[in-house]
Amino acid sequence: MSSTELPSVPPANMLPKVAAVRVAEGERLSSVELPGVTLSVRSRPPAREGLPSALYVHGLGGSSLNWSALMPLLDDVVDSEAVDLPGFGDSPPPDDGDYSITAHARAVIRYLDATGRGPVHLFGNSLGGAVATRVAAVRPDLVRTLTLVSPALPELRVQRTAVPTGLLAVPGVAPLFTRITREWTAEQRVRGVMQLCYGDPARVSPEGFRNAVQEMERRLRLPYFWDAMARSARGLVSAYLLGGQQGLWRQAERVLAPTLLVYGGRDQLVGFRMAQRSARAFRNCRLVTIPDAGHVAMMEYPGTVALAFRELLAGTTDSADQGDTGEPGAQGAPGPPAGTGGGTTAENTRG
């Protein structure tokens, strides 16, 4: 093994026991074994049976917890599940150590094929947005609508604030960073992440901060934490460099599902200028911008994102005249509940 490579990690059945993953009120966790991967899935019971399925895919360093604020706001229109990608959240590493965008997409596809939940309303944030784009492009039969929050699609001019995250992809950087930050507390790490990902970190409640610190402490005890981070970052950079039909922008153009794009005006990881390029790439899309949001609008402004999705549902139902894509009264669905945020939105509909 090269000295610049990350050390191998033990098999999933030999991993040490760590603290349990937090489960919010009304949620439940399950584990699904698939060929080559075992996925942890977070779900909420829908308001009633028969609602269409939704699947949520988190970003780099995140987990299914990233969707816990949004899912309850949609439980009357979709049956929600959020997946932990291999090596993240409560999912163990993949058997083959492959953390490429293609491998993550393959895991999502295997899950949908195995459970028969498709076609789903597919959500993705950041790296999860790239994964969801690839799923929608190669398996349109599995995707009813596509909602992307700050999707990690290739940029020619990357923001300087995103460079440190991209450097994780360089062999040797993750072990070096681990040594340099050995003395950092979980609180310091969480504050740094929130400064980078939130438009206004002050929006995080004291309870939310405590929960994030506990989750950080749990992750740092996992022997594969930095391996999963570095290899997923490497997989994302590699996807950026792919051309032809495998290029992410080319695959965005192939997406058939009605698409909702959500961008934050204070995003330090995905350039706000990419919003218009994305709106041109996806053939049938709505663009919603939230000026005060950062990289995780579904966590900062869940009410605004929920309202935008309800409007997508209503438009899809009206245009296709398919009652199973949303509720007949979705056009008049309520706006963001009190205390969930909000924010100014600007919508541009194409298609």
Side-chain angles (χ1 to χ4, degrees):
M1 181 179 69
S2 168
S3 60
T4 60
E5 286 296 319
L6 292 164
S8 59
V9 298
N13 61 1
M14 296 177 59
L15 294 174
K17 296 293 184 182
V18 297
V21 172
R22 185 173 64 87
V23 182
E25 184 178 355
E27 294 180 346
R28 55 184 175 227
L29 285 180
S30 60
S31 183
V32 180
E33 293 189 15
L34 301 166
V37 293
T38 298
L39 298 180
S40 177
V41 180
R42 183 178 305 269
S43 61
R44 293 185 62 87
R48 58 188 175 281
E49 293 185 2
L51 293 178
S53 301
L55 186 68
Y56 305 79
V57 187
H58 62 81
L60 181 66
S63 74
S64 57
L65 277 167
N66 292 25
W67 301 100
S68 288
L70 179 63
M71 288 197 296
L73 303 184
L74 297 175
D75 62 7
D76 62 323
V77 290
V78 292
D79 182 355
S80 292
E81 289 187 343
V83 64
D84 285 329
L85 291 173
F88 294 92
D90 209 31
S91 294
D95 291 352
D96 59 4
D98 188 350
Y99 288 94
S100 65
I101 296 297
T102 297
H104 284 317
R106 187 186 306 124
V108 171
I109 289 170
R110 284 177 177 170
Y111 175 72
L112 291 176
D113 279 340
T115 58
R117 285 177 59 85
V120 298
H121 295 288
L122 185 61
F123 292 69
N125 168 236
S126 192
L127 175 141
V131 171
T133 297
R134 181 150 293 177
V135 172
V138 301
R139 288 293 303 273
D141 58 305
L142 293 178
V143 182
R144 192 184 298 263
T145 67
L146 181 64
T147 297
L148 304 177
V149 181
S150 295
L153 299 175
E155 299 184 49
L156 292 178
R157 293 186 296 113
V158 178
Q159 297 185 104
R160 282 181 293 179
T161 46
V163 170
T165 302
L167 286 176
L168 282 175
V170 179
V173 169
L176 176 62
F177 183 76
T178 302
R179 290 194 296 271
I180 292 173
T181 63
R182 184 177 292 113
E183 302 303 320
W184 290 12
T185 66
E187 289 87 347
Q188 289 174 311
R189 296 175 189 273
V190 168
R191 290 190 191 282
V193 170
M194 289 182 173
Q195 286 289 341
L196 185 64
C197 293
Y198 280 73
D200 180 9
R203 293 184 63 84
V204 180
S205 68
E207 180 184 8
F209 181 78
R210 288 194 299 271
N211 290 336
V213 170
Q214 291 175 1
E215 175 62 11
M216 178 63 72
E217 291 172 339
R218 188 192 71 83
R219 293 181 188 184
L220 290 172
R221 294 189 183 99
L222 296 171
Y224 56 84
F225 173 74
W226 287 111
D227 183 75
M229 287 284 290
R231 294 183 190 273
S232 288
R234 198 174 304 166
L236 184 59
V237 171
S238 296
Y240 276 25
L241 301 177
L242 284 177
Q245 293 300 316
Q246 295 302 311
L248 285 170
W249 285 117
R250 183 66 62 85
Q251 293 194 322
E253 294 170 353
R254 291 167 52 191
V255 171
L256 301 176
T259 301
L260 170 64
L261 301 170
V262 181
Y263 281 83
R266 296 183 179 178
D267 194 331
Q268 299 183 66
L269 292 171
V270 171
F272 185 66
R273 62 182 179 276
M274 301 304 295
Q276 290 298 331
R277 179 172 182 181
S278 295
R280 292 192 298 269
F282 291 90
R283 66 177 71 188
N284 180 14
C285 76
R286 295 166 176 250
L287 170 61
V288 173
T289 61
I290 308 177
D292 293 332
H295 191 59
V296 287
M298 73 286 185
M299 299 173 72
E300 279 193 279
Y301 295 96
T304 302
V305 176
L307 178 59
F309 176 71
R310 288 175 179 275
E311 291 172 347
L312 175 71
L313 266 186
T316 302
T317 303
D318 292 344
S319 61
D321 193 28
Q322 295 176 347
D324 64 344
T325 62
E327 292 305 299
Q331 187 72 44
T340 61
T344 305
T345 65
E347 185 177 289
N348 176 27
T349 306
R350 297 177 63 251

